[in-house]
Amino acid sequence: VCPFANAVAITTTTPTVTNVTVTPATPTAGKGTSLQMSAEVTGTGLFPKLVTWSVSANSDPNTTVNPMGVVTIGSSETGTVQVTATSVFDNSQKGSATITVE
């Protein structure tokens, strides 16, 4: 049992997300492989640091990203794939990375 289970945090600072950074920023990945991405959400005050992940600019529909940030490159993917992490607290704050497919 956690002694802080019923703890309450009170703050007078309005929470604000100022940036979302995705790493690695410019990775390379082979066709049919997976790559773990991570996101750091920064700001002021108390806010959830969770993100939602999305993938775009992919030519293979089997190129996906799961809720944990693991990108799977489809076996027929070509060129580059854009991966974006969006703050769940402030969806105007996003970070992205471009994966070069080898």
Side-chain angles (χ1 to χ4, degrees), residues 61-76:
N62 293 317
T63 296
T64 59
V65 62
N66 74 13
M68 301 304 294
V70 177
V71 179
T72 301
I73 305 296
S75 59
S76 63

Side-chain angles (χ1 to χ4, degrees), residues 19-30:
N19 194 37
V20 178
T21 304
V22 175
T23 55
T26 56
T28 58

Side-chain angles (χ1 to χ4, degrees), residues 19-60:
N19 194 37
V20 178
T21 304
V22 175
T23 55
T26 56
T28 58
K31 296 177 182 185
T33 64
S34 294
L35 175 66
Q36 177 67 61
M37 305 299 287
S38 63
E40 180 181 6
V41 181
T42 55
T44 59
L46 296 173
F47 57 89
K49 296 185 178 186
L50 302 173
V51 297
T52 56
W53 292 96
S54 61
V55 65
S56 60
N58 54 310
S59 59
D60 184 337

Side-chain angles (χ1 to χ4, degrees), residues 10-27:
I10 298 174
T11 180
T12 58
T13 305
T14 302
T16 305
V17 173
T18 55
N19 194 37
V20 178
T21 304
V22 175
T23 55
T26 56

